[in-house]
Each structure stands twice: as C-alpha cells, then as structure tokens.
Amino acid sequence: MKKRKPDKRKYLPFIFAAVLVIGAAAALIFLLTQFALEQWQERQTYLLSVRLSSQEITTELCTSMCRFAGFEELWTVMESEVTLTVGDWQISTPLMGVDLETFPLKPVRSAGEKSLGSVPLLLPGEKLFSMLTDANGTAITARQSKILAESIDSTDQSLTAQIVLENSNPADNSDAPDNAGNSGYLSAETAEFLGLVSGDGLYMDADQMRTWLSDHGSSASVHLVWLRIKGKSNAETAERSLTEAGFQVLYI
C-alpha cells in the first residue's frame, strides 16, 4: 500500500497566524521605538542660526524670537569681513563678535588668560587653519595646519597673526601708499589668539570688536543671531515662522 502524503494545507492557518503575530510584534516594536525617539527629541535642545540680510536684527525682533515655545537662549552675532594672515598663510573670512562668556563655543585648546585692550584677541575655529592659502593660492597642507594650531598655546612663543578689516574707512588716510587707489587704505594689525575652538569660524569679544570697528571708521550691526530651543517640534515651528518672515534659518 502507498503511504498517504500529509496534507500540508492544514498547517496554513497556523503559518498565517504566526506571520500575523510576528508582523504585529514588529509593528509594535517599531511604534514603541518611534515613540521613544520622539520623546527623546522633545527633550533635546536645538541651535538655530537665524540671518536677516536685508536689514539689521533689532532688539524688538530679538524680543519676538524669545517668545517662541521652548526658547532657552539667544545670542547676537556681529560680522565684518577681514583678512587674516598667519605666517605665510592667509584667508578672507567673516569675523564674528560674540559674548565669549556665554556664546556656545567648544574650546579645543587655550593660550591662557589675556586682558582685553588695544590688541585684537581672536578665537579661530580649528578647521579655519586648514582653509588657509599662500600668496599664490596654494592650500596649506594638513601637517602645516596642525603645526599652526599647536603653536597657539606654545610655551616658547605663542602664535600671532596679522588682521586687516576690509572696506575700512579711517579718518586719516595721509599715510596711505600711492598705489592704494580709491579703495581705502587697509592697515594690518598684529593680533593674538585666545585659543582654538571647534568649527571653522573666527571670533572676537563683542565689546572689543565694537571698539575695534569704531577705530577703523566702521560700526557694528547685527544680521545674525543664534537661538537655542528645547524640543524638536518647537524648533521646527520656530524655523517655519522665521522662514515665512524672511529669515534664513540653519540648524547648527
């Protein structure tokens, strides 16, 4: 007698039920993971860079931004274009005047305490040195960039630089060279470094920068602020409102 083959169809309901159970468990795990992620995001803080190029950001505008849900802190940022020369290397970059006591910078190395005076004190970002070029436009090497960065806190001789405020308008232009033309005489000044921070920016104490700009016939204006807001949904709401109002908003 032939053996009768088992009817596999009778197992189909069990297989189907198992697939449903596994699928439901996977969906539940996914939903719980998403919920946990959303809860975590609502507990995090977000930094927004908020720029208004068409006009200055006034105290009134800053006050309005402070009313956003989840608002924690606001920092104003002054900006002026400068040329920074370190040894044989240079770069044109925005110089940003901020409150160094509260602005959210991440220190990488320190050159020690220095008193604010007539000498410009700078805080460059560690990536800024890797963007330097020589007079011919040749990019600095990684090794040379590292040497400069490590020289900032050297005990033998701390690193200094030359800084030029572009488009300056000094009151007395009598010492300008004959080939200066009509662009204004730009005089280089020796600057010292306070240390090194993360990123690629170039920073100065806001009060010192106001005085420094004034000495060069320029004035400080604010077209950029940083906002710290708690909660992803709050940050997204603030971003949407600011964008609709004509601001350029970036997450930092």
Side-chain angles (χ1 to χ4, degrees):
M1 280 180 73
K2 273 188 177 182
K3 284 188 179 181
R4 195 172 182 183
K5 291 182 179 180
D7 187 359
K8 295 181 179 179
R9 289 176 297 178
K10 67 180 182 180
Y11 298 108
L12 288 178
F14 299 101
I15 296 173
F16 182 69
V19 169
L20 285 179
V21 170
I22 293 172
L28 180 60
I29 292 171
F30 174 78
L31 290 174
L32 290 174
T33 302
Q34 286 295 107
F35 178 75
L37 176 60
E38 290 173 1
Q39 292 298 304
W40 177 82
Q41 289 173 333
E42 292 306 310
R43 292 193 298 269
Q44 301 307 302
T45 57
Y46 296 83
L47 273 177
L48 304 181
S49 166
V50 182
R51 181 179 295 280
L52 186 61
S53 301
S54 59
Q55 65 185 73
E56 185 173 4
I57 298 178
T58 62
T59 303
E60 290 74 15
L61 287 173
C62 291
T63 301
S64 297
M65 295 181 201
C66 295
R67 298 193 183 105
F68 284 124
F71 168 82
E72 289 193 343
E73 200 156 359
L74 178 147
W75 299 271
T76 58
V77 182
M78 297 181 297
E79 294 175 296
S80 284
E81 197 72 18
V82 299
T83 296
L84 179 73
T85 303
V86 186
D88 297 326
W89 311 95
Q90 63 182 20
I91 186 173
S92 291
T93 183
L95 173 65
M96 293 177 279
V98 298
D99 183 347
L100 295 180
E101 294 293 327
T102 63
F103 197 73
L105 295 171
K106 296 179 181 177
V108 175
R109 61 176 67 239
S110 171
E113 291 187 9
K114 296 178 186 286
S115 300
L116 292 176
S118 58
V119 177
L121 299 179
L122 307 175
L123 266 175
E126 56 183 337
K127 294 180 183 178
L128 186 72
F129 284 164
S130 64
M131 300 162 64
L132 295 170
T133 62
D134 65 13
N136 298 317
T138 303
I140 193 171
T141 65
R143 179 176 175 276
Q144 291 166 323
S145 173
K146 184 179 178 181
I147 290 173
L148 289 180
E150 291 177 346
S151 300
I152 279 185
D153 58 356
S154 171
T155 55
D156 298 329
Q157 184 177 2
S158 59
L159 186 67
T160 60
Q162 296 292 312
I163 186 171
V164 174
L165 175 63
E166 297 184 5
N167 300 319
S168 63
N169 185 29
D172 183 5
N173 207 25
S174 59
D175 296 330
D178 294 336
N179 60 357
N182 297 322
S183 60
Y185 176 45
L186 306 181
S187 57
E189 295 178 63
T190 299
E192 297 180 2
F193 293 111
L194 284 170
L196 201 66
V197 295
S198 61
D200 56 5
L202 180 64
Y203 303 91
M204 178 188 279
D205 175 78
D207 289 336
Q208 186 183 46
M209 185 168 172
R210 286 189 189 94
T211 302
W212 188 68
L213 289 174
S214 178
D215 291 343
H216 288 75
S218 187
S219 59
S221 60
V222 175
H223 294 272
L224 174 68
V225 299
W226 280 23
L227 275 177
R228 183 162 66 196
I229 293 180
K230 185 174 183 179
K232 184 180 180 182
S233 60
N234 291 332
E236 289 174 342
T237 299
E239 177 193 13
R240 187 163 52 251
S241 298
L242 289 166
T243 301
E244 291 173 354
F247 293 85
Q248 297 91 47
V249 184
L250 295 173
Y251 283 87
I252 300 170

